Amino acid sequence: MLRILNIKSIREMNHPTFKSVNWSMLIIGIALIIGAHYASEDAKGLLIFIGAVFAAINGGMIAYRSFVTKRVEQLLQHGQLIQAKFQQVEINTSIQVNGASPFRVVAQWHDTRNNEVRVYKSANLWFNPAQFVEDRTIPVYVDLNNPTKYHMDLSFLPKVTGLA
């Protein structure tokens, strides 16, 4: 979801290894579809199906990564920068990878024009950022036309190394 992405997750999605695997699998999918033309009648359907699955999944991932990157860049350039007050670090129990759930930063901002409190949540983080965000304001870029679209900038967090 766009509104909860942070710059670190975008950097991870744009990691050269991740991108080259996606492009390789897309090319393999297209090659299987093209190769089906030269295959026997029995194998054509299977090759087209497998090729379409490879191409659709990896093409979708490439398109999504491009869309998200452009959307965040647009928010960074044209969004209203606000300083939201840190509230808490929560565990996102709706996701589990190898039995572990990621953390999210929760911050809020009082919109005095409309007398509304807006709550913002970060993207998933695979380390507990509490010690780095407590007693801080968190920069959030908000789309003025649609305040539900935002980008919480957590680029000040340290880089995580050593995760297996």
Side-chain angles (χ1 to χ4, degrees):
M1 197 178 257
L2 166 67
R3 63 176 202 212
I4 61 172
L5 285 176
N6 67 35
I7 205 75
K8 289 182 183 250
S9 64
I10 292 167
R11 285 184 190 135
E12 290 166 5
M13 287 181 3
N14 286 324
H15 189 277
T17 303
F18 190 74
K19 287 168 67 171
S20 56
V21 167
N22 277 147
W23 280 103
S24 298
M25 293 297 160
L26 176 64
I27 291 168
I28 289 170
I30 293 170
L32 287 171
I33 293 170
I34 293 169
H37 176 71
Y38 302 104
S40 68
E41 289 299 319
D42 296 338
K44 278 186 182 187
L46 182 61
L47 287 174
I48 290 172
F49 175 75
I50 293 172
V53 169
F54 269 67
I57 290 172
N58 290 285
M61 291 173 76
I62 291 167
Y64 176 75
R65 185 172 51 249
S66 175
F67 169 77
V68 167
T69 301
K70 287 178 184 174
R71 201 73 174 275
V72 169
E73 287 173 357
Q74 182 182 19
L75 280 170
L76 289 173
Q77 291 176 358
H78 304 292
Q80 177 184 354
L81 174 61
I82 61 163
Q83 297 297 324
K85 185 178 178 193
F86 168 76
Q87 294 300 300
Q88 66 181 355
V89 172
E90 68 181 15
I91 297 175
N92 184 359
T93 57
S94 65
I95 298 173
Q96 278 195 346
V97 176
N98 294 330
S101 293
F103 297 88
R104 288 192 299 204
V105 174
V106 180
Q108 71 181 24
W109 175 67
H110 181 210
D111 181 355
T112 54
R113 291 180 308 177
N114 302 320
N115 198 27
E116 295 175 341
V117 173
R118 299 199 185 276
V119 177
Y120 301 103
K121 294 182 180 184
S122 74
N124 294 316
L125 302 167
W126 292 99
F127 72 101
N128 187 345
Q131 67 179 336
F132 306 107
V133 294
E134 289 177 348
D135 302 322
R136 282 191 75 126
T137 57
I138 311 290
V140 179
Y141 294 85
V142 181
D143 182 340
L144 294 174
N145 298 322
N146 185 353
T148 62
K149 293 181 182 175
Y150 61 88
H151 166 71
M152 184 182 286
D153 185 2
L154 297 177
S155 60
F156 61 86
L157 290 175
K159 182 179 177 183
V160 179
T161 59
L163 290 179

